Amino acid sequence: ATETKSACADWLMRCNFDRHNQRLGRGGFGITYLAREKRSNQHFAIKTLDPSKQDEPDFAHQQQKFLNEALRLARCQHPNIVSVRELVLHEGLPGMVMDYIVGEDLKAYISRRVLSEDEALQIIRQVGDALTCVHQSGLLHRDVKPDNIMLRQGSRTPVLIDFGLAREFDLGQIRSMTNSRTEGFAPIEQYKKKGEPGYAEPGCYTDVYALAATLYMMLTQQIPFPAIFRQDAKIALPPPQQFNSQISAKVNDAIVKGMALLAQDRPKSVEEWLKLLLKSPSKTFSFEVITVNTYGKEIDRKRRQAEYYTENLGSGIGLDMVSIPAGTFLMGSPDGEGDDDERPQHSVTVA
């Protein structure tokens, strides 16, 4: 505790920090303020627990959860996740010192126009990669939406922010989930209590729903029907193609799959959903396989075919990837042949 207070004092000596005049936002159980480091003149965002919660009987527990989540988030080093620089204690409240992202949020950006499919997929792919990193660190974001995705000024690189609803999770085990949610982006399990129809323990598929809903809005400028409304009214999700005929069938189907009402019907991970979204139909190409002996003389020649896929990277750029069939292959050169970096010869299994 002494070290934490000392770190806080050192931080405050280096920063201009006015909690009342420099508040950036409030949501969930946190408040975010703006701070400026005198030495570098660089701005940072400091997020603390809401002071109004200090009188609540479970404040100490909330404080410990905040610190645990901040430590986990600090380990999520990813270019598309807001960076946590350090943890401080200010006026008895723990705080996260984070990078201040200069730019605008995705909600403001898409309010001016419907994005092309290429541009939207480029953003979603990067946010999806960030969410995968979050999940691998044992966290769920639980509030993915255009408001919580910042686009850096100039490059428009997306950065996932506001982990105020983030919670720890283990596969098959729920830990301290709350009923906080955003209408249109929250899946049915965020509305339900255990035992109620539609209830599921929150998992990676919870963030898959919100990410798919975000893409829905990016391509249509429409907020999707809330999950609870869809369940109560027993209506299907209007497919995004209904609002934008330029959306491809593949992307339309991936969005609908990611926003399946029941958790069990959605992809189980962001990676699985991105494969549905980004994978192109396979094509084939022909090539020749030539076998030579140790003297370099051709001893066999066969014509073969292979499948390949083109992954859409956005901005008109595609990456061709050859499909390798499952099996065990011998790689490298045997002793007495080739260069040193080609040995030892070994088997590689592709599942």
Side-chain angles (χ1 to χ4, degrees), residues 239-291:
Q241 272 185 337
Q242 179 176 316
F243 304 103
N244 181 357
S245 61
Q246 300 302 308
I247 298 174
S248 67
K250 177 188 66 174
V251 170
N252 182 82
D253 293 347
I255 292 174
V256 172
K257 181 70 174 176
M259 294 186 67
L261 189 62
L262 299 180
Q264 66 201 45
D265 296 328
R266 287 176 234 139
K268 298 302 181 285
S269 70
V270 173
E271 292 171 302
E272 184 181 335
W273 181 69
L274 287 177
K275 286 180 181 178
L276 293 178
L277 185 70
L278 301 173
K279 188 175 181 180
S280 301
S282 64
K283 295 170 278 190
T284 59
F285 70 99
S286 300
F287 60 95
E288 287 188 330
V289 177
I290 300 173
T291 305

Side-chain angles (χ1 to χ4, degrees), residues 178-239:
T178 71
N179 290 326
S180 299
R181 57 185 171 261
T182 299
E183 300 288 350
F185 300 91
I188 195 66
E189 61 265 25
Q190 284 186 272
Y191 291 86
K192 298 295 184 176
K193 295 179 181 179
K194 194 168 186 177
E196 294 181 340
Y199 171 82
E201 294 180 352
C204 299
Y205 41 75
T206 302
D207 284 340
V208 167
Y209 185 101
L211 188 61
T214 296
L215 181 57
Y216 187 112
M217 187 174 178
M218 292 168 71
L219 293 172
T220 65
Q221 288 186 316
Q222 302 288 323
I223 297 176
F225 285 172
I228 190 67
F229 174 75
R230 292 166 54 197
Q231 184 186 61
D232 291 346
K234 295 182 173 55
I235 61 172
L237 175 74

Side-chain angles (χ1 to χ4, degrees), residues 19-33:
R19 187 169 76 175
H20 302 289
N21 297 329
Q22 296 178 285
R23 194 168 79 184
L24 295 175
R26 186 174 195 157
F29 59 80
I31 301 179
T32 306
Y33 309 109

Side-chain angles (χ1 to χ4, degrees), residues 29 65 69 131 134-135 139-145 148 160 162-169 174-182 185-187 189-191 202-204 206-208 210:
F29 59 80
K65 287 195 299 181
E69 290 154 15
L131 275 174
V134 171
H135 295 166
L139 285 173
L140 296 176
H141 189 283
R142 299 200 314 126
D143 199 21
V144 178
K145 56 185 178 182
N148 287 338
L160 189 59
D162 200 348
F163 285 73
L165 297 183
R167 288 292 183 271
E168 296 176 75
F169 81 102
I174 183 173
R175 293 190 179 188
S176 305
M177 296 295 175
T178 71
N179 290 326
S180 299
R181 57 185 171 261
T182 299
F185 300 91
E189 61 265 25
Q190 284 186 272
Y191 291 86
C204 299
T206 302
D207 284 340
V208 167

Side-chain angles (χ1 to χ4, degrees), residues 3-20:
E3 291 181 1
T4 304
K5 290 179 180 178
S6 174
C8 177
D10 179 58
W11 172 257
L12 294 177
M13 285 176 61
R14 292 185 283 124
C15 292
N16 290 327
F17 180 42
D18 189 322
R19 187 169 76 175
H20 302 289

Side-chain angles (χ1 to χ4, degrees), residues 9 38 54 65 78 106-107 122 229:
K38 295 177 182 178
Q54 282 182 296
K65 287 195 299 181
H78 192 280
L106 182 60
K107 182 181 180 180
Q122 188 175 15
F229 174 75

